Amino acid sequence: MIRFADLPAEFQAIRDEVFEAITPVMESGQFALGFAVQQFEEDFAAYCRAEHAVGVNSGTSALHLALLAAGIGEGDEVITVSHTFIATIAAIRYTGATPVMVDVDADTYNLDPGRIEEAITPRTRAIIPVHLYGQPVDMDPIMEIARRRGLVVVEDACQAHGAEYKGRRCGSIGDLAAFSFYPGKNLGAFGEAGAVTSNNAEYADKIRSMRHWGQTRRYYHDLPGYNYRMDGLQGAVLSVKLRHIEAWTGQRRERAAWYDELLSDSPFRPPVVQPDVRHVYHRYVVETDEREPLQEWLTQHDIDSGIHYPTPVHLQAVHADLGYSVGDLPVTERAASRVLSLPLAPQHTREEIEAVAACLNAFASRGDA
Ligand SMILES: *Cc1c(COP(=O)(O)O)cnc(C)c1O
């Protein structure tokens, strides 16, 4: 069986380091925030080349607090994509603002900057570009529009730890950025966690306060408060894993290059990578008009695959009140019916990647025999 990821194997490789890091947390009793979270925040800000990082309890909370810190709320509109994980839109709705979903680029599956101007209204306050699958969004035109129109940019970097756009790290380009450390992400906690990064000290201070019940000093609550703190144990685990992420990202990129080469004669379109970016391959996604039979074929051959995401957010029942219908975002809808994510993790061997590629190529030639 070739699985998507192998978290137990990843743990075994860093077992001693993890126990060494979590023991002082347990000995100190600093289980909510505390020294290990503070250390991780310093480490992660440096990694993202951002001035501030604030640890929270999930990527969704990170998006929510980033929007609140920027003053987004009822009556505001936030432009983003529908081809994303549901959390991007959920976070907008938590603030009371209205998500305005625009279409993506057919090659990168990322927010198409050419669609932004036509979606702007007098109520537009922010843009959330999502660095989907680990490939950075084309940020220059987005930042240019945002500056000219007075909009805040919140990067959804939940799939893009260490990804780079023109030499700049995701998490340091927009006004704020949200990261997820859900276990399956490129940098995963041993449970739920997330962070906001920013170069703006005022935003960072507000988020530090809001994640901890809006306290400015103990039992004085000046801002809306949430219980969105990061666990001390997660901070300790994440600092350990951060030491390895560059090696793991290198392995992800190497395995992606193997797939590119092994599938070069296949009818499945490999990821289209833009020049001047460092794609971190949270997902390796191929495109095919035979997605369902291909997935079935892989399952029969004991190979995991995934669909990210089968129903775009604008067509989800929970958001029916926004008034979207089938055909509104044709590039998104086409992608949602054609994308298939293949197993790709730092732990996969050359033989495993070859076996997956061979299985895809056998599917493609099955009619020829
Ligand atoms: C994972 C993810 C989130 C949410 O992060 P959680 O930690 O699961 O709350 C948001 N946006 C995207 C694009 C994600 O992949």
Side-chain angles (χ1 to χ4, degrees):
M1 181 84 203
I2 302 179
R3 300 206 169 280
F4 234 86
D6 191 346
L7 297 179
E10 190 193 80
F11 168 64
Q12 287 307 333
I14 57 170
R15 182 188 182 99
D16 293 347
E17 284 176 84
V18 167
F19 279 110
E20 200 181 307
I22 65 174
T23 303
V25 175
M26 293 183 281
E27 287 172 346
S28 74
Q30 295 188 30
F31 289 113
L33 300 177
F35 69 89
V37 171
Q38 213 172 333
Q39 183 62 55
F40 172 67
E41 289 174 340
E42 281 174 33
D43 298 344
F44 192 65
Y47 179 72
C48 295
R49 302 179 198 142
E51 279 175 43
H52 310 277
V54 184
V56 294
N57 62 345
S58 75
T60 309
S61 302
L63 282 165
H64 184 195
L65 293 187
L67 291 167
L68 290 180
I72 308 301
E74 202 102 21
D76 297 333
E77 290 176 0
V78 179
I79 295 172
T80 189
V81 288
S82 169
H83 190 62
T84 180
F85 182 55
I86 192 89
T88 314
I89 281 75
I92 297 169
R93 302 212 77 175
Y94 294 170
T95 70
T98 304
V100 174
M101 291 173 262
V102 301
D103 223 339
V104 292
D105 176 81
D107 286 340
T108 62
Y109 311 111
N110 276 336
L111 175 59
D112 180 349
R115 304 274 180 190
I116 294 175
E117 297 268 12
E118 66 198 23
I120 293 177
T121 76
R123 290 170 172 251
T124 307
R125 295 285 313 281
I127 307 170
I128 306 184
V130 182
H131 306 299
L132 201 72
Y133 307 144
Q135 169 151 237
V137 178
D138 187 9
M139 291 298 289
D140 278 350
I142 292 173
M143 296 310 294
E144 188 278 316
I145 294 168
R147 293 295 169 254
R148 186 157 41 78
R149 309 288 295 245
L151 309 175
V152 173
V153 174
V154 177
E155 296 171 67
D156 183 336
C158 289
Q159 303 189 359
H161 318 73
E164 290 174 18
Y165 173 78
K166 301 187 179 173
R168 301 165 71 194
R169 284 263 157 101
C170 290
S172 71
I173 306 168
D175 298 289
L176 297 130
F179 286 88
S180 167
F181 308 119
Y182 181 77
K185 300 290 162 84
N186 287 22
L187 181 63
F190 288 180
E192 307 278 348
V196 181
T197 57
S198 182
N199 291 324
N200 180 318
E202 202 179 310
Y203 288 153
D205 286 346
K206 273 192 185 169
I207 291 165
R208 258 178 233 290
S209 170
M210 286 189 287
R211 73 172 167 183
H212 189 32
W213 289 115
Q215 291 192 140
T216 39
R217 35 194 181 113
R218 199 159 196 203
Y219 303 130
Y220 286 85
H221 306 271
D222 299 334
L223 287 169
Y226 298 87
N227 179 355
Y228 280 178
R229 293 173 299 246
M230 181 186 277
D231 292 341
L233 289 170
Q234 302 306 347
V237 167
L238 288 165
S239 279
V240 168
K241 286 190 153 193
L242 195 59
R243 296 181 209 140
H244 298 274
I245 191 170
E246 280 303 289
W248 289 335
T249 299
Q251 287 168 323
R252 285 181 183 276
R253 289 171 50 79
E254 182 181 44
R255 279 142 191 76
W258 292 343
Y259 272 136
D260 285 349
E261 164 214 321
L262 294 162
L263 296 173
S264 59
D265 293 328
S266 83
F268 313 113
R269 190 182 78 162
V272 180
V273 183
Q274 295 307 106
D276 245 350
V277 304
R278 182 196 196 209
H279 192 323
V280 296
Y281 294 99
H282 173 57
R283 302 288 183 213
Y284 186 94
V285 177
V286 297
E287 204 177 307
T288 167
D289 48 19
E290 293 188 283
R291 199 249 316 269
E292 272 66 30
L294 175 59
Q295 184 166 41
E296 179 60 33
W297 173 271
L298 289 170
T299 305
Q300 281 165 8
H301 291 82
D302 280 339
I303 295 171
D304 257 356
S305 60
I307 298 172
H308 304 97
Y309 298 88
T311 301
V313 181
H314 72 286
L315 300 177
Q316 295 285 351
V318 67
H319 299 307
D321 62 312
L322 296 173
Y324 290 88
S325 44
V326 174
D328 285 347
L329 300 176
V331 183
T332 293
E333 291 165 31
R334 181 178 151 89
S337 69
R338 294 166 57 84
V339 291
L340 188 70
S341 310
L342 304 182
L344 187 151
Q347 292 76 26
H348 285 128
T349 62
R350 170 89 194 179
E351 290 66 36
E352 287 174 315
I353 300 295
E354 280 176 359
V356 177
C359 191
L360 268 92
N361 286 324
F363 175 86
S365 58
R366 72 201 186 288
D368 306 348

